[in-house]
Amino acid sequence: MPGFIDTHIHAPQWPNAGLGLDLPLQDWLNTYTFPLESKYKDLDFSKKVYEDLVTNLINNGTTTSVYFGSIYQDSNLLLADICNEKHQRGFIGHVSMDDKDNNPEYYRDKSAQDSLNKYESFINKLLKSNEKYSIKQTPVITPRFSPSCSLESLKGLGELAKKYNLPIQSHCSESDWENSYSINKYGKRDAQLLYENNLLTSKSIMAHGTLLNNSDFNIFHKTGTTVSHCPISNAYFGNAIFPVNDALRKNVNLGLGSDVSGGFSPSLYDNMKDAILSSQHLQNGVDNSVVSEIRGVTNSKITSKQAFYLATVGGAKVVNLKTGKLKEGYLADLQIVENQPNPFQKNDKQDILDNLIYHTRANDIKKVYVQGYLAKRG
Ligand SMILES: [Zn+2]
């Protein structure tokens, strides 16, 4: 099968996978996430965690990952090195966060200029270190999200993305708190704010988007901005279910993201299953005191085929790469899965696909190749 593309994952949050998921987003960030991310100044710690994470992703059939790193340049470069050594393709985001009100003093950039200087040097070092490897790691412009960044840094990051023609990633309209932040502070929606700062382009990947409205989708469509759908994480922090079918109907490209550790699992198999389940909840509705006719949102449920599309072809469009398909001229990003046919089913194409999605475990994935190179496991 084609390898999977995880279009949104926070590498430094791996040790926290599954922790603190009962808290609202802002409290979870301050209690669990920022204290952990601040530890990545320590390169020994970074190495231990990142080797374990990249191995786990490969073991789950993920051949390309779009990573958020931390604010520490050396640690992010180390993540790129580890991807190279293990033969995984990474999009590596050096995180920018300089706002003094919304980031703790112990974990933020000193100023917008400091953030931009560090970024430009990160880009150049990563592009340089790529020269000796066949699988290229791509730097990604990464404003954490609108509450984390000053206007000056958003503007500067948009300019850097243009100067180096780089992909951009951030979170957009993720939760009620985050969605209302730009509205209260700037009098405009998240998407509009990012758009005005040249951060929504055909290379932009916006995570979550659970609260995007029609005007936001119009901006996404117009600019070619894509969404990383993170169904597991959205159940905890999204405050709504992302409408996959609605976005696809509006010609917005979508991929799937694990969003570790807002999501507890590094497996896109788990995320495919949850994408299907959450779409069923959206279609059926959730409040049993409401009459069935108006309880849910019609035409919302997605099929297993669509979930598989999100993890493969959709993700490939998000990262603008010829991958996600077994086809001549495409990158040889593959997972070799040994999944025994079910003796009680007819095992036609649909049965085989359903079995692969619902029943594949990491142990069933025997080998993983990235660009024809055997990825290193365990
Ligand atoms: Zn995220």
Side-chain angles (χ1 to χ4, degrees):
M1 300 200 321
F4 291 151
I5 298 125
D6 186 342
T7 55
H8 185 66
I9 175 164
H10 294 261
Q13 295 175 18
W14 174 233
N16 274 355
L19 296 188
L21 295 173
D22 53 330
L23 294 177
L25 180 60
Q26 201 178 6
D27 297 341
W28 174 81
L29 284 169
N30 287 312
T31 312
Y32 285 92
T33 306
F34 292 149
L36 173 61
E37 288 195 17
S38 71
K39 289 186 184 174
Y40 289 79
K41 223 182 214 170
D42 177 344
L43 292 182
D44 290 334
F45 180 68
S46 305
K47 188 167 189 287
K48 249 184 238 162
V49 174
Y50 290 163
E51 282 184 340
D52 192 62
L53 171 64
V54 175
T55 303
N56 263 280
L57 290 168
I58 292 168
N59 288 348
N60 281 287
T62 299
T63 45
T64 298
S65 291
V66 184
Y67 291 109
F68 265 61
S70 65
I71 66 169
Y72 305 115
Q73 187 186 100
D74 289 343
S75 176
N76 297 328
L77 291 168
L78 184 65
L79 173 60
D81 281 344
I82 289 167
C83 287
N84 276 322
E85 282 161 18
K86 292 192 170 286
H87 297 152
Q88 197 208 30
R89 183 182 304 104
F91 286 73
I92 315 281
H94 174 86
V95 175
S96 291
M97 41 194 284
D98 68 315
D99 188 276
K100 294 196 171 35
D101 297 327
N102 290 302
N103 303 305
E105 202 178 352
Y106 66 84
Y107 187 61
R108 70 173 177 233
D109 298 321
K110 286 190 206 79
S111 63
Q113 199 51 51
D114 170 54
S115 175
L116 297 171
N117 291 345
K118 281 199 300 188
Y119 222 112
E120 192 150 20
S121 129
F122 168 74
I123 294 166
N124 286 309
K125 284 184 184 167
L126 183 53
L127 294 176
K128 181 92 192 130
S129 83
N130 266 338
E131 286 171 8
K132 55 182 188 290
Y133 296 108
S134 302
I135 300 169
K136 305 296 180 198
Q137 309 301 324
T138 306
V140 189
I141 299 290
T142 308
R144 188 174 199 111
F145 55 3
S146 54
S148 292
C149 298
S150 66
L151 262 187
E152 193 187 347
S153 78
L154 290 178
K155 185 167 174 284
L157 290 167
E159 284 164 6
L160 274 183
K162 199 169 177 189
K163 180 175 171 186
Y164 290 90
N165 190 24
L166 289 177
I168 298 161
Q169 63 179 345
S170 192
H171 303 83
C172 189
S173 291
E174 175 179 2
S175 64
D176 286 317
W177 168 71
E178 200 255 316
N179 187 51
S180 60
Y181 185 85
S182 303
I183 296 168
N184 293 336
K185 184 166 179 185
Y186 301 108
K188 57 187 75 163
R189 295 182 57 81
D190 229 7
Q192 183 66 26
L193 177 73
L194 295 166
Y195 174 62
E196 286 174 8
N197 287 287
N198 300 310
L199 291 163
L200 297 188
T201 72
S202 60
K203 290 188 161 188
S204 293
I205 307 163
M206 294 294 128
H208 309 291
T210 47
L211 294 167
L212 293 173
N213 69 11
N214 280 338
S215 78
D216 301 330
F217 277 130
N218 281 340
I219 297 176
F220 276 40
H221 174 57
K222 181 170 73 178
T223 54
T225 297
T226 60
V227 174
S228 174
H229 175 40
C230 307
I232 295 181
S233 167
N234 290 347
Y236 296 104
F237 300 117
N239 298 137
I241 294 176
F242 180 77
V244 170
N245 281 340
D246 191 37
L248 290 173
R249 275 193 294 268
K250 288 173 174 142
N251 292 313
V252 172
N253 274 330
L254 310 176
L256 212 51
S258 66
D259 193 30
V260 164
S261 66
F264 54 78
S265 172
S267 161
L268 285 200
Y269 287 93
D270 287 345
N271 277 279
M272 282 192 291
K273 284 178 274 199
D274 208 73
I276 297 166
L277 292 177
S278 58
S279 76
Q280 291 279 155
H281 294 321
L282 186 59
Q283 168 121 355
N284 294 330
V286 293
D287 184 350
N288 71 0
S289 68
V290 177
V291 293
S292 64
E293 289 75 18
I294 55 165
R295 195 183 299 141
V297 181
T298 50
N299 296 323
S300 291
K301 70 178 180 187
I302 67 167
T303 61
S304 52
K305 201 169 168 183
Q306 279 180 291
F308 189 72
Y309 168 91
L310 294 179
T312 54
V313 178
K317 285 186 184 171
V318 166
V319 293
N320 288 292
L321 279 176
K322 284 185 92 174
T323 182
K325 279 186 197 180
L326 306 187
K327 196 174 173 188
E328 190 178 339
Y330 279 67
L331 292 163
D333 297 343
L334 315 168
Q335 48 181 322
I336 314 295
V337 181
E338 201 174 273
N339 189 334
Q340 297 303 326
N342 185 320
F344 308 109
Q345 295 171 354
K346 59 184 184 298
N347 291 300
D348 62 9
K349 273 188 192 170
Q350 184 64 49
D351 288 357
I352 291 170
L353 179 68
D354 287 344
N355 267 319
L356 280 167
I357 290 176
Y358 285 106
H359 299 303
T360 300
R361 302 284 176 266
N363 281 346
D364 302 320
I365 302 169
K366 301 301 174 191
K367 282 183 180 171
V368 174
Y369 292 90
V370 177
Q371 224 167 289
Y373 294 90
L374 183 66
K376 294 180 190 163
R377 319 177 62 197

